[in-house]
Amino acid sequence: MSKKRQARTKPHSKRARDHRLFANCQVWTWEGMPSPETGASIATAQRHTGFGWVDLGQDLAQHLLDLPRNWLIGVRALCRSIDGKEWMESCVFDLPSYSIQRIENAYHELRAEVLNAQRTDQVYDMGWICRTWSGQKRDDPLELWHYHDTPEDVIRGVIRDEQRIKRMAGPGYSEERKASWQDFNIRYLEDRKRELEEGEAA
């Protein structure tokens, strides 16, 4: 009497399931728009669904950052000239299968790189944005993903689709936002200088 063969199945992988579940998420923060309660930068995390981008709570946002994932990373500076023209200076790169928590110093280096390409007095805010992907990376020759939550006039510099611009756009320029960032930048540079000096002395 022949025995029936049992179908072999791959063992369930929580890590693989998690990787797929959070395969189209993004998280970002702006230095010049701190929390009014704590004064710290606010990290916003979202996941893309059939109904558009949905906000994630702080627990899921932290979970998103804790595990290795495929990341698109961008550091960006919002700029405005004295005649009101706006643009964005940025630096983007890919980071496949990596925990973003392990590249803490990368932001400092990229931030300096972006600011070196721009007059500081024309910057009115700066921050970073990260987006995940799974499988084959989506073709995006204009790198539009890192324009998310930037002002309409900045996005309008790369695309003309008004509906898409409205979906992507975030808060625009204000004197308060610029003053907040300029103050943040002074404190950031002082703290960063102190950290480097203490590191060299250790």
Side-chain angles (χ1 to χ4, degrees):
M1 189 173 188
S2 62
K3 294 182 179 179
K4 291 184 178 180
R5 287 186 177 180
Q6 292 184 340
R8 290 185 176 182
T9 59
K10 292 183 179 179
H12 176 70
S13 171
K14 290 183 180 180
R15 178 65 61 85
R17 181 177 180 276
D18 181 88
H19 195 71
R20 290 192 302 270
L21 182 63
F22 293 97
N24 199 359
C25 296
Q26 60 189 9
V27 58
W28 72 90
T29 188
W30 292 109
E31 295 173 350
M33 300 181 68
S35 165
E37 290 82 19
T38 65
S41 297
I42 302 171
T44 302
Q46 295 181 332
R47 177 171 176 260
H48 195 267
T49 70
F51 301 100
W53 290 100
V54 176
D55 288 346
L56 299 175
Q58 287 301 306
D59 289 345
L60 286 177
Q62 188 59 49
H63 175 74
L64 186 66
L65 299 173
D66 283 343
L67 297 179
R69 305 184 189 282
N70 295 329
W71 292 101
L72 301 170
I73 299 176
V75 176
R76 48 201 187 158
L78 299 177
C79 311
R80 180 184 173 97
S81 63
I82 195 169
D83 62 359
K85 180 183 178 182
E86 293 192 29
W87 68 97
M88 183 172 75
E89 294 285 352
S90 59
C91 181
V92 299
F93 69 102
D94 300 348
L95 191 69
S97 302
Y98 216 83
S99 171
I100 205 167
Q101 301 283 36
R102 295 174 59 189
I103 59 164
E104 184 178 352
N105 286 329
Y107 179 68
H108 299 301
E109 296 170 5
L110 293 172
R111 186 185 191 278
E113 182 178 334
V114 171
L115 283 183
N116 284 340
Q118 182 56 49
R119 282 174 44 185
T120 306
D121 64 317
Q122 292 181 327
V123 177
Y124 67 88
D125 208 348
M126 188 157 192
W128 54 265
I129 183 169
C130 305
R131 184 172 289 190
T132 61
W133 90 89
S134 181
Q136 186 173 356
K137 191 178 71 169
R138 185 177 300 175
D139 186 35
D140 186 4
L142 296 177
E143 300 281 10
L144 292 180
W145 63 272
H146 85 290
Y147 281 84
H148 188 88
D149 203 52
T150 63
E152 290 185 15
D153 286 345
V154 171
I155 304 172
R156 203 168 277 116
V158 289
I159 59 173
R160 292 288 182 268
D161 184 339
E162 287 297 322
Q163 287 188 336
R164 189 170 187 183
I165 290 171
K166 295 293 184 185
R167 288 197 302 269
M168 293 173 63
Y173 172 84
S174 70
E175 288 294 330
E176 293 78 13
R177 186 176 186 182
K178 182 175 182 178
S180 175
W181 182 79
Q182 292 286 339
D183 180 64
F184 176 95
N185 188 50
I186 292 171
R187 290 183 283 108
Y188 169 89
L189 293 175
E190 291 173 348
D191 292 344
R192 184 63 179 155
K193 181 181 178 181
R194 189 181 307 111
E195 288 174 4
L196 293 174
E197 288 175 347
E198 290 175 354
E200 291 175 358

